Amino acid sequence: MTKTELISVVANKAGIPKAAAEKALNATTEAIQDALKKGDKVTLVGFGTFDVAKRAARQGVNPRTRETIKIKASKSPRFRPGKAFKDAVNK
């Protein structure tokens, strides 16, 4: 499902225009991104949790040249689904 298709589904289920559904979806994703940038965790009960995983700096190997390289520390957003969401998917 693409973002456009998701907007259409949300608009139909909520009975609102597509423009309003797009604004709501964009606002939601921006709010989640802003919270994660601040280091906060976003929990949607029954759906799941968005948080940031920190990856430490480490040594890696370039597979083409077999040369050892340094990989910088980084942060990566992650999503962990809630029990109700998992159960709904597994029905």
Side-chain angles (χ1 to χ4, degrees):
M1 175 181 285
T2 65
K3 183 177 179 180
T4 304
E5 292 168 340
L6 179 60
I7 290 168
S8 294
V9 171
V10 170
N12 288 336
K13 287 193 178 231
I16 59 175
K18 285 184 183 180
E22 182 175 12
K23 282 183 182 180
L25 181 61
N26 289 339
T28 302
T29 56
E30 286 176 22
I32 292 170
Q33 287 175 6
D34 291 343
L36 295 179
K37 282 180 191 177
K38 291 180 197 173
D40 294 338
K41 182 166 53 167
V42 178
T43 302
L44 302 172
V45 177
F47 185 71
T49 302
F50 295 90
D51 63 358
V52 176
K54 295 176 184 167
R55 300 185 69 177
R58 61 196 188 280
Q59 292 282 327
V61 177
N62 182 332
R64 190 174 288 178
T65 63
R66 303 283 183 213
E67 181 181 340
T68 302
I69 57 173
K70 292 181 183 177
I71 301 172
K72 296 180 188 177
S74 64
K75 296 178 187 175
S76 179
R78 83 180 155 186
F79 172 74
R80 288 184 280 166
K83 183 180 181 332
F85 185 51
K86 286 182 194 176
D87 292 345
V89 170
N90 287 315
K91 279 189 177 180

